[in-house]
Amino acid sequence: MAVEKLFKDEATEEKGERARMASFVGAMAIADLVKTTLGPKGMDKILQSTGRGHSVTVTNDGATILKSLHIDNPAAKVLIDISKVQDDEVGDGTTSVVVLAGELLREAEKLVGSKIHPMTIISGFRMASECARSALLDRVKDNKDDAEKFRSDLMRIAKTTLSSKILSQDKEHFAKLAVDAVMRLKGSTNLESIQIIKKAGGSLKDSFLDEGFILDKKIGLGQPKRIENANILVANTAMDTDKVKIYGARVRVDSMAKVAQIEGAEKEKMREKVQKIIGHGINCFVNRQLIYNFPEELFADAGILAIEHADFEGIERLGLVTGGEIASTFDNPESVKLGHCKLIEEIMIGEDKLIHFSGVEMGQACTIVLRGASFHVLDEAERSLHDALCVLSQTVNDSRVLLGGGWPEMVMAKAVDELARKTPGKKSHAIEAFSRALIAIPTTIADNAGLDSAELVAQLRAEHHKEDSNAGIDVITGSVGDMSELGISEAFKVKQAVLLSATEAAEMILRVDEIITCAPRRREDRM
């Protein structure tokens, strides 16, 4: 006896072939969407929101594109997640990971069509990804002990990462900025202490790295414009209590003189608070909230530089950089940790005045000031630079380096192909399919550059059959080139993350045999 209907009206289910079809198609569509942004000749996408303001983003970064899409297909969501994780984890390779997962599913679809069970395909993929990873491990270079070589490795990695982004024209300049900034971190992966300030105007070439900290604020009136050997108190406290808030209080008085008395008392309270703050022996006071005219005047009389409304990120970073802690009570000065720096002065960037702290405690901190023609350019430049900084800071920790330009994929594909020949049974088909999916990355790089990908990939494969070949795709000349001479390098950590995440995501989507879509439970009308 068949059950007529199991689910309520709004729920739908798709079984077996149709479910698998839906997930394959969704995942491949997402992969094709970002495919054109891969590689040094990849194109950008414009993302326009239909909400208020119609904000426009122009970007080449896979994770940013996918993050902004609202998608119905469940398999596509899995791919968006892996690209997001790749972005958080290592910063680069967000497009490659989606393209690879999409290709794996495209190959898997053919295998499922020729009656191979998904579990067989999955175990084949597992073997293949292990084999590919060990093939990469055999060919990594590690120059951690030689500082000169290691720095040139970092420069190469930065240039490779930036060459697919908007900064590719000035990649020498920006690679140097990024490497200098990361080298100052001395091995920590915390990018908080590298601050990026965007100022429209000038061109991208005018961007520079500043040793020290720049706060995007103006110095108040009548206050010292330059302070040497500053002691800084970083605070988050209300400095606006010297006026009676008309709307917030209800006070009954019988004459105006009494109001004046109340105001006087409030002023006294404020004066006491300011005296307490001055008692810390400081000459610079940075507050997150606003500072009214009266306390500002008191600070100016005491020769103290008071900065108000320093945004929260700015103030946390300032605390981090100058070695101070954020204080909110001032009763016992000995327990408050002050920040120190050698010099505070006002500088001009373009049209704007900013406050510059130099000679800060934490020598690791620095500020990168980006200049550019428009805000869209600046946003994209910041994303590109952030990718480069992430990759570099990961590489400083895990200093293994590979060549780039489709070389790692060819090395992996060769090893995986050999494994397929040795493996008996149906698994070998899946392993072979894995190697075809890997080759899709160099193919896409060549396609995006408008080259004949079939010809180039065939040449590459022939080159890689010689021992220890360094061949990869040189998109500039449009031929097969030697990657170590061209100085195209990638971080091992990025490649490993791409390989493992893509395999796992493909595996997860392959396991699906039923999709149940369910409407949320409605609230009953309580009438």
Side-chain angles (χ1 to χ4, degrees):
M1 189 179 90
V3 180
E4 276 301 300
K5 200 166 141 211
L6 188 61
F7 298 110
K8 279 193 168 176
D9 290 342
E10 292 91 18
T12 57
E13 64 169 334
E14 287 179 5
K15 280 202 167 90
E17 278 306 295
R18 290 195 50 187
R20 204 166 281 129
M21 210 45 228
S23 21
F24 284 155
V25 168
M28 288 189 270
I30 284 284
D32 289 342
L33 176 77
V34 291
K35 209 181 226 178
T36 51
T37 66
L38 189 72
K41 293 267 201 270
M43 305 303 265
D44 290 8
K45 309 268 182 226
I46 289 187
L47 310 170
Q48 183 176 21
S49 97
T50 51
R52 254 193 23 237
H54 289 283
S55 63
V56 170
T57 316
V58 183
T59 181
N60 174 302
D61 178 36
T64 312
I65 296 170
L66 294 179
K67 234 181 341 205
S68 321
L69 300 178
H70 292 291
I71 277 183
D72 208 16
N73 186 302
K77 285 206 172 99
V78 174
L79 290 198
I80 292 177
D81 273 354
I82 56 170
S83 102
K84 221 186 260 166
V85 170
Q86 179 80 10
D87 196 32
D88 298 342
E89 189 65 25
V90 285
D92 197 23
T94 48
T95 313
S96 326
V97 70
V98 177
V99 172
L100 183 55
E103 286 303 322
L104 285 172
L105 289 169
R106 186 165 308 201
E107 294 295 336
E109 185 189 19
K110 293 176 196 160
L111 295 175
V112 171
S114 60
K115 299 277 181 288
I116 295 177
H117 193 276
M119 283 305 158
T120 315
I121 300 175
I122 286 173
S123 65
F125 278 3
R126 280 256 166 102
M127 288 168 66
S129 74
E130 271 310 303
C131 164
R133 187 167 167 267
S134 55
L136 280 189
L137 272 172
D138 290 345
R139 305 286 300 267
V140 293
K141 295 191 181 63
D142 192 341
N143 291 330
K144 192 157 202 165
D145 309 326
D146 183 346
E148 267 306 296
K149 270 189 180 166
F150 186 49
R151 194 186 158 86
S152 77
D153 273 352
L154 286 181
M155 279 296 285
R156 284 170 160 194
I157 289 177
K159 279 195 285 206
T160 307
T161 302
L162 292 172
S163 60
S164 64
K165 310 267 194 284
I166 192 170
L167 302 176
S168 59
Q169 302 309 315
D170 312 310
K171 62 183 174 196
E172 281 287 334
H173 179 61
F174 282 102
K176 194 168 174 325
L177 285 190
V179 173
D180 286 345
V182 170
M183 289 305 254
R184 295 176 71 99
L185 290 178
K186 304 188 180 63
S188 92
T189 50
N190 180 13
L191 297 177
E192 292 278 302
S193 42
I194 299 178
Q195 183 192 18
I196 299 181
I197 289 184
K198 300 177 287 191
K199 286 283 169 213
S203 70
L204 283 170
K205 267 204 179 66
D206 303 337
S207 309
F208 60 91
L209 176 91
D210 197 290
E211 327 243 312
F213 185 82
I214 298 179
L215 195 64
D216 198 349
K217 290 281 162 253
K218 293 188 177 64
I219 292 181
L221 291 172
Q223 291 175 352
K225 294 270 189 249
R226 177 188 169 95
I227 293 181
E228 290 181 10
N229 295 331
N231 291 331
I232 308 164
L233 177 62
V234 186
N236 180 9
T237 179
M239 299 298 284
D240 53 358
T241 52
D242 59 306
K243 293 188 173 71
V244 176
K245 306 270 196 304
I246 301 292
Y247 301 109
R250 181 172 177 197
V251 186
R252 284 208 171 147
V253 289
D254 42 21
S255 72
M256 275 315 280
K258 290 275 169 53
V259 179
Q261 264 178 14
I262 294 172
E263 282 203 329
E266 289 274 345
K267 268 200 161 137
E268 271 316 302
K269 245 167 61 183
M270 193 75 245
R271 183 174 275 128
E272 272 172 35
K273 189 170 184 179
V274 173
Q275 282 330 113
K276 272 185 198 161
I277 292 174
I278 295 174
H280 286 61
I282 56 170
N283 46 14
C284 173
F285 175 69
V286 184
N287 191 18
R288 189 187 158 215
Q289 303 178 26
L290 95 178
I291 303 176
Y292 263 171
N293 327 17
F294 178 62
E296 194 170 33
E297 190 184 308
L298 294 178
F299 282 130
D301 290 346
I304 289 179
L305 166 63
I307 304 167
E308 61 175 3
H309 273 316
D311 51 356
F312 201 70
E313 271 184 7
I315 202 166
E316 285 214 320
R317 219 179 255 138
L318 185 63
L320 193 88
V321 167
T322 54
E325 283 172 5
I326 300 180
S328 42
T329 54
F330 310 104
D331 293 330
N332 32 358
E334 61 283 347
S335 68
V336 174
K337 205 170 156 206
L338 296 181
H340 301 285
C341 80
K342 300 241 171 65
L343 176 66
I344 301 179
E345 57 185 341
E346 196 172 49
I347 55 168
M348 293 276 293
I349 296 180
E351 302 286 295
D352 302 338
K353 290 182 180 167
L354 300 98
I355 305 172
H356 180 228
F357 298 78
S358 51
V360 285
E361 286 267 312
M362 183 173 156
Q364 311 178 356
C366 56
T367 303
I368 295 177
V369 179
L370 289 179
R371 308 297 311 277
S374 74
F375 288 112
H376 300 137
V377 174
L378 285 173
D379 287 343
E380 177 62 356
E382 182 188 23
R383 276 191 292 270
S384 313
L385 197 60
H386 183 261
D387 279 5
L389 291 173
C390 281
V391 175
L392 290 175
S393 68
Q394 294 288 349
T395 313
V396 170
N397 275 357
D398 179 350
S399 56
R400 292 173 290 184
V401 176
L402 297 163
L403 297 173
W407 177 86
E409 284 77 18
M410 294 311 288
V411 168
M412 292 192 276
K414 183 184 170 191
V416 172
D417 254 345
E418 280 164 15
L419 175 72
R421 292 206 192 98
K422 294 179 205 151
T423 311
K426 286 186 178 176
K427 278 186 199 166
S428 62
H429 292 295
I431 298 174
E432 215 172 308
F434 195 93
S435 105
R436 282 200 298 276
L438 283 170
I439 291 180
I441 290 199
T443 311
T444 310
I445 292 178
D447 279 340
N448 287 346
L451 306 170
D452 181 356
S453 59
E455 169 73 17
L456 272 178
V457 171
Q459 277 180 13
L460 255 188
R461 190 186 271 152
E463 281 291 321
H464 272 270
H465 266 282
K466 301 172 189 161
E467 280 304 301
D468 290 340
S469 156
N470 288 340
I473 292 180
D474 176 5
V475 283
I476 310 302
T477 60
S479 59
V480 173
D482 184 329
M483 293 292 120
S484 63
E485 280 172 23
L486 291 167
I488 298 175
S489 298
E490 295 190 60
F492 169 71
K493 200 162 180 185
V494 174
K495 278 291 161 213
Q496 175 181 301
V498 166
L499 178 70
L500 302 181
S501 322
T503 315
E504 282 171 15
E507 195 177 299
M508 191 171 161
I509 294 171
L510 258 177
R511 284 171 182 268
V512 174
D513 76 332
E514 184 163 358
I515 299 174
I516 300 172
T517 348
C518 210
R521 216 169 72 210
R522 293 217 183 115
R523 291 199 180 143
E524 284 85 21
D525 296 331
R526 295 194 177 82
M527 290 301 283

